[in-house]
Amino acid sequence: MNPPCGRCNKPVYPTEKINCLDKYWHKGCFSCEVCKMALSMTNYKGFEKKPYCTMHYPKTSFTIVTDTPENLRLKQQSMLNSQALYKEEFEKNKGKGFSVVVDTPEMQRVKKTQDQISNIKYHEEFEKSKIRSDAPPPENRQDYEDQPSNPVSDFGQSAGQMRTAAVAPHSGGKRYQAMYSYMAAEADELSLQEGDLILDVEPIDEGWVFGFNQRTGQRGMLPANYFL
């Protein structure tokens, strides 16, 4: 039994049969769906099992997705998933690179204390270099050592030097006496014993001061409510 033609539905005999697009066609029926131009096996284009010429072949185009409530929900869900993944990656990579230090009041206090300690160390180094520059030259040092020493004079000079060293850290600032003992909790803080004399006291921020402990010879931060 001869199969029907894909266009005219009439029987297709073997001598005029074209097998294409899962159908059988008469040679005269195998033409473009739009312009009816006769086609062959070499110049046709198939779309939805129908033959077309190159000129009238249907062009595919993108469809516009409307913002339906379901689409909006899916979009919002996708954004939430993206944010969750970003936060997860951020937590994993935290600490592997450089991080921004927040300028909190505590960080400002530490920074100010470090600046003050740097200034104090600078002045100490400057005074040491000044003392070294005031020392007698090598040729005069031997003469100075050969001079006879006066025990009374030397004792007076030593006592004067000791008094000078004892009051040297005091530069005219406020001085207080510790009412309580205090154990330093940070590297930039000072420990106290009851009765310690604190010189050159300077307020830093609320509740804290910077000063010099005459007993230990150290400088650092102290709680302000531990003094008379």
Side-chain angles (χ1 to χ4, degrees):
M1 182 178 179
N2 296 322
C5 177
R7 187 176 299 278
C8 66
N9 289 326
K10 293 180 180 181
V12 180
Y13 298 101
T15 57
E16 55 180 355
K17 179 173 64 174
I18 295 179
N19 186 5
C20 184
L21 299 174
D22 297 333
K23 296 179 181 180
Y24 295 97
W25 310 79
H26 294 109
K27 291 183 179 179
C29 293
F30 191 64
S31 60
C32 177
E33 286 287 327
V34 179
C35 64
K36 306 302 179 184
M37 182 183 75
L39 300 173
S40 64
M41 297 294 293
T42 59
N43 63 356
Y44 84 97
K45 288 183 176 293
F47 183 79
E48 295 183 353
K49 295 186 178 181
K50 295 180 180 179
Y52 291 90
C53 66
T54 304
M55 183 66 66
H56 297 104
Y57 181 74
K59 302 291 191 300
T60 56
S61 59
F62 296 101
T63 58
I64 299 174
V65 179
T66 58
D67 287 334
T68 61
E70 181 65 19
N71 289 335
L72 292 174
R73 186 186 67 79
L74 294 175
K75 181 179 179 181
Q76 185 177 9
Q77 186 66 31
S78 299
M79 291 178 63
L80 292 175
N81 292 337
S82 299
Q83 292 176 359
L85 290 174
Y86 170 77
K87 290 181 179 179
E88 184 179 354
E89 291 296 328
F90 176 79
E91 292 296 332
K92 289 181 180 179
N93 297 325
K94 185 186 294 185
K96 295 183 180 180
F98 295 100
S99 59
V100 179
V101 179
V102 181
D103 197 11
T104 59
E106 181 66 20
M107 293 300 298
Q108 292 178 356
R109 182 180 70 82
V110 173
K111 183 179 179 182
K112 185 175 181 180
T113 303
Q114 291 176 348
D115 292 340
Q116 291 177 347
I117 293 174
S118 298
N119 291 333
I120 292 171
K121 290 184 177 179
Y122 169 77
H123 288 297
E124 289 178 353
E125 292 296 330
F126 177 77
E127 291 297 332
K128 289 181 182 178
S129 62
K130 186 176 180 181
I131 292 173
R132 287 196 296 267
S133 64
D134 293 340
E139 59 271 12
N140 296 332
R141 189 178 301 169
Q142 184 66 33
D143 298 339
Y144 175 78
E145 293 176 353
D146 293 340
Q147 292 179 0
S149 61
N150 188 344
V152 177
S153 176
D154 291 344
F155 176 77
Q157 290 179 358
S158 299
Q161 292 175 355
M162 291 175 63
R163 288 195 298 271
T164 303
V167 299
H170 180 55
S171 60
K174 296 181 181 180
R175 53 169 52 187
Y176 296 91
Q177 189 173 11
M179 295 187 300
Y180 314 103
S181 298
Y182 174 75
M183 182 62 67
E186 301 290 343
D188 56 354
E189 298 179 3
L190 288 182
S191 297
L192 289 177
Q193 290 184 3
E194 183 178 352
D196 282 355
L197 186 62
I198 308 302
L199 309 179
D200 300 338
V201 177
E202 300 177 4
I204 299 176
D205 54 12
E206 184 178 358
W208 289 89
V209 297
F210 188 86
F212 174 80
N213 190 334
Q214 190 179 40
R215 179 179 60 84
T216 61
Q218 296 178 344
R219 296 179 183 270
M221 293 191 305
L222 299 162
N225 57 352
Y226 276 62
F227 306 108
L228 290 173

